[in-house]
Each structure stands twice: as C-alpha cells, then as structure tokens.
Amino acid sequence: MKAQCEALGAKTHIEGFRVPMGDIEEAHLYADGEEIECRACQCCGSGSVEGELYYMPGTDPVSIAGATDKIVLLDTGVTYFTYQDLMKAGAKAILFQYGNRYYPHTDIDQRDLREAVVGDGKKVLCATIHSGEAVRLSIWT
C-alpha cells in the first residue's frame, strides 16, 4: 500500500502501533442454572464473571450509567465508544446478540474486538449469544 500511495505522489511512512492481543478459547454463560450457548470475543478480558443481568437496548448516557457492576446484554454490537463507555461505567461483562431469532440453529459468529479494546488497561469479558437466546434472557430481566 505504501508503494501504491507513493506511486500516486503521496508522501508516506509506516508507523507502528500497539494492538492488544489475547484470545479467549471458550466462554460459558449460565442463567438460572441453565447453560446458554455463547461464543467469547477475541482480544477482551477473560475469567469468570457473576452478576446481575442488565438488558440495555440503547447506548445513551443514562442506560450506560445503569451498567455498573452488571453483566450487560446489548441489542447492538460493541463499538469502540460503547466498549469504552461501559468500561468507565464499571460493567462486569458484555453480551451482544448475533443472528436471527427465527433461525435458532444458525451458528454464532466469533467476533474480534481488537478495534474496540485498546491499551494495556482493564478489559471486560465480551461474548456473543444467538438472538433467540437474547430475547429469552431479556424477558427474564
């Protein structure tokens, strides 16, 4: 890419940057003693997390403030700003949905959140669950 840019007359240089790495091989989600299929996201925190489930349909400041010490279930994916805001708010873990609740047997995608997780600071466990399970969990909360 550098050579292509220079061929077009643009002055370029390659600048290194740090990318947090660390894969999570598996995640387990239990609700009311029942295991729910999920897939951990790469490049996030790891370990065991227990806590109250907090269904958060929006990412407004009031909703994010309610995430303190909770496992957050999002309707949307995790963006850089949502991840950082939830970190600052003190969320214990983040779940987001993938797929379509009308197709319950569709495989769950594993996401790489390298673009959202930066630096060497604290990281939060993130996992993806199928939309059908997300709907079921949100009804419990």
Side-chain angles (χ1 to χ4, degrees), residues 19-130:
V19 177
M21 299 300 284
D23 296 339
I24 298 173
E25 294 181 8
E26 59 184 70
H28 300 277
L29 173 64
Y30 296 91
D32 290 341
E34 178 185 345
E35 185 168 11
I36 295 171
E37 183 184 356
C38 67
R39 177 102 20 107
C41 298
Q42 295 175 323
C43 297
C44 293
S46 60
S48 297
V49 178
E50 255 185 68
E52 180 183 346
L53 183 66
Y54 174 58
Y55 173 62
M56 193 173 92
T59 56
D60 58 277
V62 173
S63 296
I64 288 176
T68 305
D69 291 329
K70 295 184 177 90
I71 298 170
V72 177
L73 172 59
L74 292 169
D75 274 345
T76 60
V78 179
T79 65
Y80 172 83
F81 292 109
T82 303
Y83 183 89
Q84 296 302 318
D85 289 346
L86 287 170
M87 289 279 298
K88 290 176 190 165
K92 286 185 170 183
I94 302 168
L95 298 173
F96 59 98
Q97 62 180 316
Y98 174 81
N100 185 319
R101 71 184 181 135
Y102 299 108
Y103 299 98
H105 302 295
T106 303
D107 193 23
I108 301 169
D109 213 7
Q110 184 172 32
R111 303 295 171 109
D112 186 340
L113 294 183
R114 207 169 308 173
E115 71 279 358
V117 182
V118 296
D120 293 328
K122 178 184 166 197
K123 295 179 179 156
V124 173
L125 177 65
C126 292
T128 306
I129 60 175
H130 195 276

